[in-house]
Amino acid sequence: MKNFNDANRLTQGFTLIELLVALFLGAVLIFGAIQVFDSSREGARVQNAMASIQDGGRVAMELISRDIRRADSSGCLADKSRIQNILDASTANYLDDVHPFFNLGATAGESGVTGVESALGDVITDFNPLTAVSTDLDVIDGTSILRVVGAAPACDGINALDNSSLDEDDPLRLRSACEIPEGTVLLVADCQRADIFVKTNPAGAGLVIEHAATAAGGFANTQPTFSKTYKYDAQILVPFVREYFVAQGSNGNNSLYRRDSGRVQELVTNVVDFQVIYGQDSNDNGAADIFAGTFADMSTVVSVRASLTVRSEQAIIREPGDVDSRPIIRNYTSTNGIRNRVVASSVGG
């Protein structure tokens, strides 16, 4: 039988000191867990912000680089004065500063790459072809504007013609099927001539591209006749005029935009800066040897260096000694040669 002291020992509670020690140890454990959780959450925020910055920066630089490489391109046609533009300039979607493309090679100063070295009060207009409404965007002062004029393949893979056209009025026929929407502005070109026109038959024809003197997609051809009969050595391209610039974005911070043949698209948010430097080939050997923000004769430019600085939307990192948190900032730079000019210079040399 247990005595009184044993029973008393079994029924007594914690002392105040023991309870305080237990509470202290529990608080330490909980505080440590909270610290680990906060650190993990902060690390996840930083990783997500870095991923967002990298995704936006890389995609933008890839688009810019691709356009620069295609600048001044019109297939194998070197003489832009041999491009005929049969688009009707009076139609609603025809923009004077966009759809002349190479301007038949007659406009002084027109080049595959141009731009503004440091914007000051510049405005880019967004034109909506569905509503015919224009909206002006104010370019951020001090940033660059890059304007690229070129042409890209209309289809993946082979986009060359067969040999079926008999005269200048005949529809064009591709060697392999490619669904090009009605109302698409196209460039048909070989090494001797080129024509800019709008496709007037609907998608679904696959191989056939018609160019009647009718309206299609807000454009129209003034005539159904090309400057020559295009055969198997011709290609179908999509000419483009694209401008990259920085303006206020949808989230209130600055964003990088691209205007593609009149329509503006927001590419990357939270942009700090966008700068462009051109490389001039003064020796005509295909290599850039002089670099500047602009040149009087931009036709001698053979490379373009674009630099894009992007930040995280929120201030989320703090270095030792910092009073306040600051955003993550990353710079992306890419230098690309203008293929059409580098090859021409090399061949000429």
Side-chain angles (χ1 to χ4, degrees):
M1 182 175 178
K2 296 180 180 179
N3 59 31
F4 177 79
N5 290 334
D6 291 336
N8 186 53
R9 188 182 304 112
L10 291 173
T11 58
Q12 70 181 358
F14 293 106
T15 66
L16 180 60
I17 294 177
E18 289 174 332
L19 184 60
L20 291 175
V21 170
L23 289 174
F24 174 75
L25 292 176
V28 170
L29 291 175
I30 294 174
F31 179 77
I34 292 174
Q35 289 294 100
V36 171
F37 175 75
D38 282 346
S39 178
S40 176
R41 184 178 62 177
E42 190 67 19
R45 289 180 62 202
V46 171
Q47 290 299 320
N48 290 336
M50 285 291 298
S52 178
I53 292 173
Q54 290 176 354
D55 288 346
R58 289 173 179 173
V59 169
M61 295 310 296
E62 174 60 27
L63 292 174
I64 294 171
S65 298
R66 187 182 304 169
D67 285 345
I68 291 171
R69 290 193 292 268
R70 289 171 174 168
D72 210 23
S73 173
S74 54
C76 65
L77 180 65
D79 185 358
K80 303 301 185 295
S81 67
R82 300 182 69 81
I83 299 175
Q84 175 181 248
N85 185 352
I86 66 171
L87 292 176
D88 185 351
S90 66
T91 53
N93 289 357
Y94 191 101
L95 304 179
D96 289 337
D97 65 334
V98 172
H99 293 110
F101 300 104
F102 300 102
N103 291 318
L104 311 184
T107 301
E110 179 65 23
S111 176
V113 288
T114 55
V116 176
E117 180 179 4
S118 182
L120 182 61
D122 291 88
V123 173
I124 299 291
T125 300
D126 176 20
F127 175 75
N128 188 334
L130 299 178
T131 61
V133 174
S134 298
T135 305
D136 289 340
L137 287 84
D138 297 322
V139 181
I140 301 301
D141 290 346
T143 60
S144 295
I145 302 174
L146 174 64
R147 176 183 170 98
V148 184
V149 182
C155 316
D156 294 331
I158 298 175
N159 62 116
L161 302 181
D162 67 10
N163 208 31
S164 62
S165 295
L166 299 178
D167 60 40
E168 294 86 348
D169 295 336
D170 278 354
L172 304 174
R173 186 177 292 272
L174 292 163
R175 289 187 223 172
S176 58
C178 174
E179 297 301 334
I180 302 174
E182 179 182 3
T184 302
V185 175
L186 298 171
L187 174 74
V188 56
D190 59 19
C191 297
Q192 288 77 43
R193 298 286 309 189
D195 282 85
I196 296 172
F197 67 101
V198 62
K199 181 177 182 284
T200 56
N201 61 314
L207 294 170
V208 179
I209 299 175
E210 297 180 4
H211 49 97
T214 58
F219 296 97
N221 296 317
T222 58
Q223 60 186 44
T225 305
F226 287 147
S227 58
K228 65 168 293 185
T229 303
Y230 291 101
K231 298 286 189 176
Y232 64 91
D233 55 345
Q235 288 184 307
I236 294 293
L237 306 169
V238 177
F240 64 81
V241 177
R242 292 174 182 152
E243 290 158 296
Y244 293 88
F245 64 96
V246 177
Q248 186 177 42
S250 56
N251 66 354
N253 296 330
N254 295 336
S255 294
L256 179 71
Y257 289 85
R258 179 174 78 169
R259 185 172 85 148
D260 187 355
S261 298
R263 288 310 319 267
V264 170
Q265 177 186 9
E266 187 175 11
L267 294 180
V268 183
T269 59
N270 308 310
V271 170
V272 177
D273 197 13
F274 177 60
Q275 297 294 327
V276 178
I277 296 176
Y278 304 95
Q280 184 186 59
D281 176 18
S282 64
N283 297 319
D284 197 26
N285 60 5
D289 57 337
I290 301 176
F291 300 89
T294 188
F295 291 98
D297 183 6
M298 294 295 286
S299 66
T300 60
V301 170
V302 296
S303 68
V304 181
R305 178 183 300 166
S307 179
L308 179 68
T309 304
V310 188
R311 52 156 288 181
S312 59
E313 185 167 356
Q314 297 177 337
I316 57 176
I317 60 173
R318 180 184 297 176
E319 300 293 343
D322 289 347
V323 176
D324 299 315
S325 297
R326 57 184 177 82
I328 300 172
I329 297 177
R330 291 291 181 269
N331 185 71
Y332 297 88
T333 300
S334 178
T335 302
N336 295 275
I338 302 174
R339 291 174 178 171
N340 197 48
R341 296 180 181 178
V342 172
V343 172
S345 298
S346 300
V347 173

